[in-house]
Amino acid sequence: MKLCWIHPTTFNGALSPLWEKLDAAVRPALNVGTKLEFRFLPKSGNFVRSAYAEHINSVHIVEAALKAETDGFDGIFLGCWNDPLWEAREVLSVPVGSVSEQSMLAALAMGKRLAIVTVSQKTTVAIENDLLAYGLRDRAIVRPVRTIMPESDAELLLGAVSDPYASFIPRVEEVAKACIADGADVILIGCAYYGPLLRMASYTEVPGTGVPVVDSSTVALKYLETMTDMAMKLGTVKSTRLQLRPPPREALDQARRSLSLI
């Protein structure tokens, strides 16, 4: 089985310690025989804390997903909570998983009420929209998506690579405890990169509460691995009626040419 993890940005060499740590955290969780390749976008605005910017970037993510399918990957993973999941599923014929949907579905088996702790105020809006789109709002607390403050930046992210307890975990824990007070019994980390870093640091539960802090990325990737295994062994990928029915390829490619994508 070959899985492709698509990052939502172009490659940034300054974040190489993060990419190395992410690989070390995620790859060992996969089954023997599962191959994983990380890919960055050839073009990206490298900014998704905006509805319009995310919309623009989503085009490049789906284009990368189409190329990954052409290159022979059996499953595609959209490695960001800000993702074009339904658009990618519509045009691909292999399983497509996202950090958001797959981790939320996994959380349903872990507790009654979930909450997501994310990294910026704008991202809370995108994730709340996901909860509604996936029909999972009733399985979450009131104000189900909350952000750390101050918001995440490159300095905080790189600091969390070396020592997440120094700055990031205290911010997460403060928000997580407020979520727990409002009824959450599962906390998802609403960023594709911080979840693996917390798990690698053995921060998997809010201390003294019994509430798991879920590495959303690795859990979601394992979920995609199962989806892909079912597709390969049982032939079940998706419905091809209505929303997920692929458009005629000629019409799709005409639209892509209009934007000079091909």
Side-chain angles (χ1 to χ4, degrees):
M1 179 191 302
K2 292 174 57 180
L3 303 180
C4 183
W5 175 315
I6 297 175
H7 289 291
T9 64
T10 55
F11 178 76
N12 182 348
L15 296 178
S16 289
L18 170 64
W19 312 137
E20 294 169 7
K21 194 69 172 277
L22 183 66
D23 187 286
V26 169
R27 198 176 298 276
L30 297 173
N31 296 332
V32 175
T34 297
K35 297 179 181 180
L36 175 65
E37 181 177 322
F38 292 92
R39 288 189 173 184
F40 292 88
L41 300 181
K43 291 183 179 181
S44 171
N46 295 318
F47 178 72
V48 292
R49 295 179 185 178
S50 151
Y52 185 49
E54 179 185 350
H55 181 70
I56 296 170
N57 206 57
S58 290
V59 173
H60 298 295
I61 292 175
V62 176
E63 285 296 311
L66 284 164
K67 182 164 193 316
E69 181 181 29
T70 299
D71 290 344
F73 285 93
D74 303 302
I76 311 297
F77 187 69
L78 307 183
C80 183
W81 281 76
N82 301 74
D83 64 71
L85 177 61
W86 295 107
E87 292 86 348
R89 279 193 180 147
E90 179 198 47
V91 297
L92 269 65
S93 60
V94 297
V96 182
S98 70
V99 182
S100 57
E101 184 190 56
Q102 273 49 70
S103 65
M104 289 180 192
L105 291 176
L108 300 183
M110 301 179 193
K112 181 67 174 178
R113 291 278 183 267
L114 64 88
I116 300 105
V117 178
T118 190
V119 295
S120 78
Q121 291 178 313
K122 274 288 191 176
T123 306
T124 66
V125 177
I127 297 177
E128 285 175 0
N129 289 339
D130 285 345
L131 271 169
L132 292 171
Y134 304 151
L136 300 177
R137 182 61 187 83
D138 289 344
R139 291 295 299 274
I141 64 170
V142 175
R143 288 185 55 239
V145 190
R146 307 182 190 186
T147 186
I148 61 169
M149 293 300 290
E151 297 183 349
S152 172
D153 55 19
E155 181 180 356
L156 182 68
L157 188 54
L158 284 174
V161 172
S162 57
D163 183 11
Y165 286 92
S167 185
F168 182 66
I169 286 176
R171 297 188 203 182
V172 168
E173 199 163 285
E174 180 182 6
V175 181
K177 286 182 176 178
C179 292
I180 293 167
D182 288 341
D185 52 9
V186 179
I187 301 293
L188 298 176
I189 297 300
C191 172
Y193 302 142
Y194 282 110
L197 298 180
L198 294 189
R199 180 172 56 81
M200 288 285 278
S202 298
Y203 189 83
T204 57
E205 179 180 305
V206 179
T209 67
V211 175
V213 176
V214 179
D215 169 3
S216 303
S217 297
T218 307
V219 166
L221 185 64
K222 288 294 292 181
Y223 202 118
L224 172 66
E225 186 178 39
T226 299
M227 291 165 59
T228 305
D229 192 43
M230 289 192 301
M232 296 175 71
K233 294 177 180 176
L234 307 178
T236 303
V237 177
K238 65 173 185 177
S239 170
T240 55
R241 178 174 173 80
L242 299 177
Q243 184 170 348
L244 296 184
R245 182 195 308 166
R249 189 55 187 250
E250 182 179 346
L252 177 63
D253 286 350
Q254 180 178 341
R256 296 167 72 203
R257 288 190 191 95
S258 74
L259 296 176
S260 300
L261 297 171
I262 56 175

